[in-house]
Amino acid sequence: MRLSFLEPLYAEPGPFASVYLDTSRDVEHPERAIALRWQRLRDRLTRQGADRALLQVLEEVVGADTAVPGMHGQAIFAAHGTLVLDGELPKPPAHDSARYGTLPDAMPLVTQHVPEIPYLAVTVHYGGLPTAETHGWVTLDAETGTWPASNVTPGERLHLRVAVATWHRTAVRLGHQLDEWARRVHADAVVMGGDKWASNVLIRRLPHALRDRVVRVGGPTATDTGRALLEPQLNTVFHGRMAAHDRELVDVFIGRHALHGAATEGLAATVAALQRGQVAALLLNHPPGRSLRLWAGPQPTLLTLTEEELISFGVRAPREERADEALVRTLVGTCAELVVVPESELSLDEGVGALLRYADLGTPS
């Protein structure tokens, strides 16, 4: 998973206010509920030292996602009286939270983006009889997205209405168009729902490579909900699945590690590789617990297990930080990726490993 969407968070130094808030609209009087939640978080930030200017910036955007229906949440970050990042959460946070600290609390936002699977969703609806050659219409909707974030931030949408009489011919052109679209977004799957006859016509005319990635789904296929096209079906298809890109990284890690190549595991060895900017992808069995701490300096690569080691690097004011916050900053600052891999797929020493950009004699593996 690439973390470039977090780069605005680290363009300026902290301290940061990080807010995670349930802003669901599927309850009675949602505005009142959101206001009450925010008031509690505002009080918490005040006790932690946030000033009025910072609180005002946050208050202006809390609950401003009125165009997003249903269950969802907001992740909001601000620093020095300026909004830094406002992100939609595909599901409400388990608990509303607010933190004012030297680093942004970004890991909960990252984990709501995991596994970040790119896809193409297609619905095909037919009105009429399959034997009708001149009457009726086929309606097609297609949408790109990256699951699960696309549940609340859908991608580009295509809508077409085609006469039944021309559907077979039009499906050939559409097949190539959808193939180009899927290639552009590197879609792992094409999730297709709707009328069986009309969608079968389209599937048979897709290029073979794309046809092999089609996943047929049933159930309601509403197209005007303001949420992702085929959202319930997407959640079923992709639940528990890794993105193809991440799985490739895991496979490379396994191969390299077996051959004592450019890969390492264990917390100490991984932190040492992060210090050198050597990590191409950090592998975690699960995000670090909030009790795990690391020592951090002003630069992303200044990351150590002990205060003494950080002082030896010339850092005059070392800070002990939550490991999850420090690791995300280092990954973004060194353009490294993050892969969350279930232990059932690969059990890592201390739950952490790294695929390296290069190997050297000093790199433990």
Side-chain angles (χ1 to χ4, degrees):
M1 174 180 174
R2 298 175 178 87
L3 301 178
S4 55
F5 71 99
L6 293 177
E7 288 176 358
L9 272 181
Y10 304 97
E12 299 292 339
F16 297 87
S18 306
V19 173
Y20 290 88
L21 182 68
D22 183 345
T23 54
S24 299
R25 304 284 164 179
D26 62 340
V27 297
E28 189 175 2
H29 307 301
E31 300 300 336
R32 185 186 307 170
I34 293 168
L36 289 172
R37 292 191 184 102
W38 164 240
Q39 186 58 55
R40 288 193 292 268
L41 298 183
R42 181 188 175 104
D43 293 344
R44 194 176 305 171
L45 288 169
T46 299
R47 292 193 296 270
Q48 294 176 25
D51 59 34
R52 289 186 178 181
L54 190 61
L55 295 172
Q56 182 60 37
V57 166
L58 293 167
E59 189 158 313
E60 289 175 358
V61 296
V62 164
D65 55 348
T66 55
V68 182
M71 295 179 61
H72 63 280
Q74 269 185 294
I76 311 169
F77 303 87
H80 307 293
T82 302
L83 180 68
V84 181
L85 185 66
D86 178 13
E88 296 295 335
L89 302 175
K91 59 182 180 180
H95 304 284
D96 294 339
S97 66
R99 176 170 166 79
Y100 186 60
T102 52
L103 294 177
D105 182 16
M107 187 63 82
L109 176 59
V110 170
T111 56
Q112 284 235 20
H113 279 254
V114 172
E116 202 172 52
I117 298 176
Y119 67 88
L120 175 63
V122 181
T123 65
V124 187
H125 293 282
Y126 168 68
L129 296 173
T131 56
E133 295 295 333
T134 59
H135 300 288
W137 296 89
V138 173
T139 303
L140 177 140
D141 286 274
E143 183 178 83
T144 57
T146 304
W147 187 87
S150 58
N151 281 348
V152 289
T153 55
E156 185 180 354
R157 175 75 72 96
L158 171 69
H159 176 79
L160 290 175
R161 191 165 181 255
V162 181
V164 169
T166 64
W167 177 235
H168 285 79
R169 295 193 303 275
T170 303
V172 176
R173 175 179 58 81
L174 278 174
H176 290 291
Q177 183 178 350
L178 293 175
D179 184 53
E180 291 176 5
W181 206 3
R183 289 174 184 271
R184 189 166 71 246
V185 300
H186 306 287
D188 285 8
V190 179
V191 182
M192 186 171 297
D195 177 79
K196 186 175 181 180
W197 170 78
S199 57
N200 281 343
V201 170
L202 178 60
I203 290 172
R204 286 195 297 268
R205 284 153 180 80
L206 293 175
H208 287 287
L210 188 62
R211 193 186 310 166
D212 292 340
R213 281 178 278 162
V214 171
V215 180
R216 292 292 301 270
V217 295
T221 57
T223 61
D224 57 354
T225 63
R227 306 275 294 199
L229 185 65
L230 293 175
E231 178 186 351
Q233 293 89 337
L234 296 174
N235 295 338
T236 300
V237 169
F238 294 136
H239 178 73
R241 179 169 168 175
M242 290 182 67
H245 173 74
D246 286 354
R247 186 170 291 281
E248 288 174 5
L249 294 177
V250 171
D251 290 342
V252 172
F253 172 88
I254 293 171
R256 288 186 183 178
H257 197 269
L259 297 173
H260 305 288
T264 193
E265 63 178 321
L267 185 60
T270 300
V271 169
L274 287 167
Q275 292 169 0
R276 297 188 290 268
Q278 193 178 4
V279 174
L282 178 72
L283 277 63
L284 296 175
N285 284 143
H286 44 75
R290 297 196 169 191
S291 61
L292 181 62
R293 302 280 170 162
L294 294 172
W295 288 85
Q299 302 301 322
T301 53
L302 291 172
L303 185 71
T304 64
L305 298 177
T306 66
E307 181 180 15
E308 293 76 16
E309 185 181 6
L310 197 57
I311 291 173
S312 73
F313 290 160
V315 177
R316 295 183 179 181
R319 303 188 312 270
E320 190 178 28
E321 303 284 3
R322 275 182 14 197
D324 58 344
E325 296 178 349
L327 285 172
V328 173
R329 183 188 72 150
T330 300
L331 295 178
V332 174
T334 58
C335 300
E337 297 188 49
L338 174 66
V339 178
V340 178
V341 53
E343 287 186 85
S344 58
E345 297 275 347
L346 174 66
S347 181
L348 297 160
D349 182 19
E350 297 181 284
V352 61
L355 182 63
L356 306 180
R357 294 186 169 108
Y358 61 89
D360 57 42
L361 296 178
T363 302
S365 57

